[in-house]
Amino acid sequence: MGANISGGGSIDGDETGPPLRPRLDDIPESCAALILARLNPPEICNLARLNRSFRSASLADFIWESKLPSNYKLIVEKVFVEEDRDLMNLKKKDVYARLTKPIPFDGGTKEIWLDKNTGGVCLSMSSKALTITGIDDRRYWNHISTEESRYRTVAYLQQTWWFEVDGELEFQFPAGTYSLFFRLHLGKSSKRLGRRVCNTEHVHGWDIKPVQFRLTTSDGQQVVSRCYLDNPGSWVLYHVGDFNVENSNALTNIKFSLTQIDCTHTKGGLCVDAAFIYPSSVRKEVKLCS
């Protein structure tokens, strides 16, 4: 009957035992929320599994609103159809989760999403959203279906003398530095007996002269780079260049291109999938051009 209570103190009032040790469960929810606010989204989700205090704190709107881009309301208004705009009535964690999934717009030829680790704005433009010289002439170009594109279709060049792909986008980006890429593939891949095979029959001309990438913005930034296309059978992200956005309240117009217009030789066997824009802080395995 006179046994001590576990952790310190005793039934008869003796307080000479060791003091109780604080536990994670003793941290107030408000303090847990302040800790979570300093972490990135994956870290917040991991700590939310610790206990009830962290799990409840992880739902706080002020935490997730700080992870959303400054223009997230504009993104919702721009790309969501009317019936989906009640998204703004959800908890901010649910808003964040929804925006990390690609959202198609402009007739499904473009997509926007947030990088799940940083909350940075990412965009892509399919080959059908790009201006490709000669795309309507089936002697040179075709749109082919493939599971290897997020758009389920790519533009395939059989052969041409004049190769030119242009793109343009106007968007209100949050302030920061962004990188633009083309996703390209030498050869035409397909499935045969359940295995991926690549036909490189039409691949030629890309080792004779480099292609040129160009990027310009409405505030005067300009980048020009050149490189040879290589790695037949593999999708490659070719880095076009970077641009800076200082005013998140203004529209930024971006024009970019991919050309090889030396008409002394033909080139062909190239798949053009899409152009991508990522925050420069989002690391990607890319082909750097000079």
Side-chain angles (χ1 to χ4, degrees), residues 222-272:
Q222 180 171 308
V223 181
V224 177
S225 59
R226 296 174 180 82
C227 73
Y228 290 91
L229 303 187
D230 53 16
N231 292 328
S234 299
W235 285 103
V236 180
L237 278 178
Y238 288 88
H239 183 216
V240 178
D242 297 343
F243 63 94
N244 296 308
V245 175
E246 295 183 357
N247 185 359
S248 58
N249 295 317
L251 288 169
T252 299
N253 182 273
I254 307 160
K255 294 181 180 180
F256 53 94
S257 65
L258 162 61
T259 59
Q260 215 295 13
I261 54 177
D262 184 334
C263 293
T264 60
H265 66 283
T266 62
K267 39 267 176 187
L270 176 70
C271 289
V272 178

Coordinates of all heavy atoms in Angstrom, one line a residue, residues 222-272:
Q222 N 17.4 38.2 -71.3 CA 17.7 37.4 -72.5 C 18.8 36.4 -72.2 O 19.8 36.7 -71.6 CB 18.0 38.3 -73.7 CG 18.3 37.5 -74.9 CD 18.5 38.4 -76.2 OE1 17.6 39.3 -76.4 NE2 19.5 38.2 -76.9
V223 N 18.5 35.2 -72.7 CA 19.5 34.1 -72.5 C 19.6 33.3 -73.9 O 18.5 33.0 -74.5 CB 19.2 33.1 -71.4 CG1 20.2 32.0 -71.3 CG2 19.0 33.8 -70.1
V224 N 20.8 33.1 -74.4 CA 21.0 32.3 -75.6 C 22.0 31.2 -75.3 O 23.1 31.5 -74.7 CB 21.5 33.1 -76.8 CG1 21.7 32.3 -78.0 CG2 20.4 34.2 -77.1
S225 N 21.7 30.0 -75.6 CA 22.7 28.9 -75.4 C 22.6 27.9 -76.6 O 21.6 27.9 -77.3 CB 22.4 28.2 -74.1 OG 21.1 27.7 -74.1
R226 N 23.6 27.1 -76.7 CA 23.7 26.1 -77.8 C 24.2 24.8 -77.2 O 25.0 24.7 -76.3 CB 24.6 26.6 -78.9 CG 24.1 27.8 -79.6 CD 25.1 28.3 -80.6 NE 24.6 29.5 -81.3 CZ 24.7 30.8 -80.8 NH1 25.3 30.9 -79.6 NH2 24.3 31.8 -81.5
C227 N 23.7 23.7 -77.8 CA 24.2 22.4 -77.5 C 23.8 21.3 -78.5 O 22.8 21.6 -79.3 CB 23.9 21.9 -76.1 SG 22.2 21.4 -75.9
Y228 N 24.5 20.2 -78.6 CA 24.2 19.1 -79.4 C 23.1 18.2 -78.7 O 23.3 18.0 -77.5 CB 25.4 18.3 -79.8 CG 26.4 19.0 -80.7 CD1 27.4 19.8 -80.2 CD2 26.2 18.9 -82.1 CE1 28.3 20.5 -81.0 CE2 27.1 19.6 -82.9 CZ 28.1 20.4 -82.4 OH 29.0 21.0 -83.2
L229 N 22.2 17.8 -79.5 CA 21.2 16.8 -78.9 C 21.8 15.4 -79.0 O 22.4 15.0 -80.0 CB 19.9 16.8 -79.7 CG 19.2 18.2 -79.8 CD1 17.8 18.0 -80.5 CD2 19.0 18.8 -78.5
D230 N 21.7 14.7 -77.9 CA 22.3 13.3 -77.8 C 21.4 12.4 -77.0 O 20.3 12.7 -76.7 CB 23.7 13.4 -77.3 CG 23.8 14.2 -75.9 OD1 22.8 14.3 -75.3 OD2 24.9 14.5 -75.6
N231 N 22.0 11.3 -76.6 CA 21.3 10.2 -75.8 C 20.1 9.7 -76.4 O 19.0 9.8 -75.9 CB 21.0 10.8 -74.4 CG 22.2 11.1 -73.5 OD1 23.2 10.4 -73.6 ND2 22.1 12.1 -72.7
P232 N 20.2 9.1 -77.6 CA 19.1 8.4 -78.3 C 18.4 7.4 -77.3 O 19.1 6.7 -76.7 CB 19.7 7.8 -79.5 CG 20.9 8.5 -79.8 CD 21.4 8.9 -78.4
G233 N 17.1 7.4 -77.3 CA 16.4 6.4 -76.5 C 16.1 6.9 -75.1 O 15.4 6.2 -74.3
S234 N 16.5 8.1 -74.7 CA 16.2 8.6 -73.4 C 15.6 10.0 -73.4 O 16.0 10.8 -74.3 CB 17.5 8.7 -72.6 OG 18.1 7.4 -72.4
W235 N 14.7 10.3 -72.6 CA 14.1 11.6 -72.4 C 15.1 12.5 -71.7 O 15.7 12.1 -70.7 CB 12.8 11.6 -71.7 CG 11.7 11.1 -72.5 CD1 11.1 9.8 -72.4 CD2 11.0 11.8 -73.5 NE1 10.1 9.7 -73.3 CE2 10.0 10.9 -74.0 CE3 11.1 13.0 -74.1 CZ2 9.1 11.3 -75.1 CZ3 10.2 13.4 -75.1 CH2 9.2 12.5 -75.6
V236 N 15.3 13.7 -72.2 CA 16.3 14.6 -71.6 C 15.7 16.0 -71.4 O 15.0 16.5 -72.3 CB 17.6 14.7 -72.5 CG1 18.6 15.7 -71.9 CG2 18.2 13.4 -72.8
L237 N 15.9 16.5 -70.2 CA 15.5 17.9 -70.0 C 16.7 18.8 -70.4 O 17.7 18.8 -69.7 CB 15.2 18.1 -68.5 CG 13.8 17.7 -68.0 CD1 13.7 18.0 -66.5 CD2 12.7 18.5 -68.7
Y238 N 16.5 19.6 -71.4 CA 17.5 20.6 -71.8 C 17.3 21.9 -71.2 O 16.2 22.5 -71.4 CB 17.6 20.7 -73.4 CG 18.1 19.4 -74.1 CD1 17.3 18.4 -74.4 CD2 19.5 19.3 -74.3 CE1 17.8 17.2 -75.0 CE2 20.0 18.2 -74.9 CZ 19.1 17.1 -75.3 OH 19.7 16.0 -75.9
H239 N 18.3 22.4 -70.5 CA 18.1 23.7 -69.8 C 18.2 24.9 -70.8 O 19.3 25.1 -71.4 CB 19.2 23.8 -68.7 CG 19.1 25.0 -67.9 ND1 20.2 25.7 -67.4 CD2 18.0 25.7 -67.5 CE1 19.8 26.8 -66.7 NE2 18.5 26.8 -66.7
V240 N 17.1 25.6 -71.0 CA 17.2 26.8 -71.9 C 17.8 28.0 -71.2 O 18.6 28.7 -71.8 CB 15.7 27.1 -72.3 CG1 15.7 28.3 -73.3 CG2 15.1 25.9 -73.0
G241 N 17.4 28.3 -70.0 CA 17.9 29.4 -69.3 C 17.1 29.7 -68.1 O 16.1 29.1 -67.8
D242 N 17.6 30.7 -67.3 CA 16.9 31.2 -66.1 C 16.4 32.6 -66.3 O 16.9 33.4 -67.0 CB 17.8 31.1 -64.9 CG 18.3 29.7 -64.6 OD1 17.7 28.8 -65.0 OD2 19.3 29.6 -63.8
F243 N 15.3 33.0 -65.5 CA 14.9 34.3 -65.5 C 14.4 34.7 -64.1 O 14.0 33.8 -63.3 CB 13.7 34.6 -66.5 CG 12.5 33.7 -66.2 CD1 11.4 34.3 -65.5 CD2 12.4 32.4 -66.7 CE1 10.3 33.5 -65.3 CE2 11.2 31.7 -66.5 CZ 10.2 32.2 -65.8
N244 N 14.5 36.0 -63.7 CA 14.1 36.5 -62.4 C 12.8 37.2 -62.5 O 12.6 38.0 -63.4 CB 15.2 37.4 -61.9 CG 16.6 36.6 -61.7 OD1 16.6 35.6 -61.0 ND2 17.6 37.2 -62.2
V245 N 12.0 37.0 -61.4 CA 10.8 37.8 -61.2 C 10.9 38.6 -59.9 O 11.2 38.0 -58.9 CB 9.6 36.9 -61.2 CG1 8.3 37.7 -60.9 CG2 9.4 36.1 -62.5
E246 N 10.9 39.9 -60.0 CA 11.0 40.8 -58.9 C 9.6 41.3 -58.4 O 9.4 41.4 -57.1 CB 11.9 42.0 -59.2 CG 13.3 41.6 -59.5 CD 14.2 42.7 -59.7 OE1 13.7 43.9 -59.7 OE2 15.4 42.5 -59.9
N247 N 8.7 41.5 -59.3 CA 7.4 42.1 -58.9 C 6.3 41.0 -59.1 O 5.9 40.6 -60.2 CB 7.1 43.3 -59.8 CG 5.8 43.9 -59.3 OD1 5.1 43.5 -58.4 ND2 5.4 45.0 -60.0
S248 N 5.9 40.4 -57.9 CA 4.9 39.3 -58.0 C 3.5 39.8 -58.3 O 2.6 39.0 -58.6 CB 4.9 38.6 -56.7 OG 4.6 39.4 -55.6
N249 N 3.3 41.1 -58.4 CA 2.0 41.7 -58.7 C 1.9 42.0 -60.2 O 0.8 42.4 -60.6 CB 1.7 42.9 -57.9 CG 1.7 42.7 -56.4 OD1 1.0 41.7 -56.0 ND2 2.3 43.5 -55.6
A250 N 2.9 41.8 -61.0 CA 2.9 42.1 -62.4 C 3.0 40.9 -63.2 O 3.6 39.8 -62.8 CB 4.1 43.0 -62.7
L251 N 2.4 40.9 -64.4 CA 2.5 39.8 -65.4 C 3.9 39.8 -66.0 O 4.4 40.8 -66.3 CB 1.4 40.0 -66.5 CG 0.0 39.7 -66.1 CD1 -1.0 40.2 -67.2 CD2 -0.3 38.2 -65.8
T252 N 4.4 38.6 -66.1 CA 5.7 38.4 -66.8 C 5.4 37.6 -68.1 O 4.8 36.6 -68.1 CB 6.7 37.6 -66.0 OG1 6.9 38.3 -64.7 CG2 8.0 37.4 -66.7
N253 N 5.9 38.2 -69.2 CA 5.7 37.6 -70.5 C 7.0 36.9 -70.9 O 8.1 37.5 -70.8 CB 5.3 38.6 -71.6 CG 5.1 37.9 -73.0 OD1 6.1 37.8 -73.7 ND2 3.9 37.5 -73.3
I254 N 7.0 35.6 -71.2 CA 8.2 34.8 -71.6 C 8.0 34.3 -73.0 O 7.0 33.8 -73.4 CB 8.3 33.6 -70.6 CG1 8.3 34.1 -69.2 CG2 9.6 32.9 -70.9 CD1 7.9 32.9 -68.2
K255 N 9.1 34.5 -73.8 CA 9.2 33.9 -75.1 C 10.4 33.1 -75.2 O 11.5 33.4 -74.7 CB 9.2 35.0 -76.2 CG 8.0 35.9 -76.3 CD 8.1 36.9 -77.4 CE 6.8 37.8 -77.5 NZ 6.9 38.8 -78.5
F256 N 10.3 31.9 -75.8 CA 11.4 31.0 -75.8 C 11.3 30.2 -77.1 O 10.3 30.1 -77.8 CB 11.4 30.0 -74.6 CG 10.1 29.3 -74.4 CD1 9.9 28.0 -74.9 CD2 9.1 29.9 -73.7 CE1 8.7 27.4 -74.7 CE2 7.9 29.2 -73.4 CZ 7.7 28.0 -74.0
S257 N 12.5 29.7 -77.5 CA 12.6 28.9 -78.8 C 13.7 27.9 -78.8 O 14.6 27.9 -78.0 CB 12.8 29.9 -80.0 OG 14.0 30.5 -79.9
L258 N 13.5 26.9 -79.7 CA 14.5 25.9 -80.0 C 14.6 25.8 -81.5 O 13.6 25.6 -82.2 CB 14.0 24.6 -79.4 CG 14.6 23.3 -79.9 CD1 16.1 23.2 -79.6 CD2 13.9 22.1 -79.2
T259 N 15.8 26.1 -82.0 CA 16.0 26.1 -83.5 C 17.2 25.4 -83.9 O 18.2 25.3 -83.2 CB 16.0 27.6 -84.0 OG1 17.1 28.3 -83.3 CG2 14.8 28.3 -83.7
Q260 N 17.2 24.9 -85.2 CA 18.3 24.5 -85.9 C 18.0 24.7 -87.4 O 17.3 23.9 -88.0 CB 18.6 23.0 -85.7 CG 20.1 22.6 -85.6 CD 20.8 22.8 -87.0 OE1 20.3 23.5 -87.9 NE2 22.0 22.3 -87.1
I261 N 18.4 25.9 -87.8 CA 17.9 26.4 -89.1 C 19.0 26.5 -90.2 O 18.9 27.2 -91.2 CB 17.2 27.8 -89.0 CG1 18.1 28.8 -88.3 CG2 15.9 27.6 -88.2 CD1 17.5 30.2 -88.2
D262 N 20.1 25.7 -89.9 CA 21.1 25.6 -90.9 C 20.6 24.6 -92.0 O 20.5 23.4 -91.8 CB 22.4 25.0 -90.3 CG 23.6 24.9 -91.3 OD1 23.3 24.8 -92.5 OD2 24.7 24.9 -90.8
C263 N 20.3 25.1 -93.2 CA 19.7 24.3 -94.2 C 20.7 23.6 -95.1 O 20.3 23.2 -96.2 CB 18.8 25.2 -95.1 SG 17.4 25.9 -94.2
T264 N 21.9 23.4 -94.7 CA 22.9 22.7 -95.4 C 22.7 21.2 -95.2 O 23.3 20.4 -95.9 CB 24.3 23.1 -95.1 OG1 24.5 22.8 -93.6 CG2 24.6 24.5 -95.3
H265 N 21.9 20.8 -94.2 CA 21.6 19.4 -94.0 C 20.3 19.2 -93.3 O 19.7 20.1 -92.7 CB 22.7 18.8 -93.1 CG 22.7 19.4 -91.7 ND1 23.2 20.6 -91.4 CD2 22.2 18.9 -90.5 CE1 23.0 20.9 -90.1 NE2 22.4 19.8 -89.5
T266 N 19.7 18.0 -93.5 CA 18.4 17.7 -92.8 C 18.7 17.1 -91.4 O 19.8 16.7 -91.1 CB 17.6 16.7 -93.7 OG1 18.4 15.4 -93.8 CG2 17.3 17.2 -95.1
K267 N 17.6 17.1 -90.6 CA 17.7 16.5 -89.3 C 16.3 15.9 -89.0 O 15.3 16.3 -89.6 CB 18.1 17.5 -88.2 CG 17.4 18.8 -88.3 CD 18.4 19.7 -89.1 CE 17.8 21.1 -89.4 NZ 18.7 21.9 -90.2
G268 N 16.3 14.8 -88.2 CA 15.0 14.2 -87.9 C 15.1 13.1 -86.8 O 16.2 13.0 -86.2
G269 N 14.0 12.5 -86.6 CA 14.0 11.4 -85.5 C 13.9 12.0 -84.1 O 14.4 11.4 -83.2
L270 N 13.2 13.2 -84.0 CA 13.1 13.8 -82.7 C 11.7 13.9 -82.2 O 10.8 14.3 -82.9 CB 13.7 15.2 -82.8 CG 13.6 16.1 -81.5 CD1 14.6 15.6 -80.4 CD2 14.0 17.6 -81.8
C271 N 11.5 13.6 -80.9 CA 10.2 13.8 -80.2 C 10.3 15.1 -79.3 O 11.2 15.2 -78.5 CB 9.9 12.6 -79.3 SG 9.4 11.1 -80.2
V272 N 9.3 15.9 -79.5 CA 9.2 17.1 -78.7 C 8.0 16.9 -77.7 O 6.8 16.8 -78.2 CB 8.9 18.4 -79.5 CG1 8.8 19.6 -78.6 CG2 10.1 18.6 -80.5

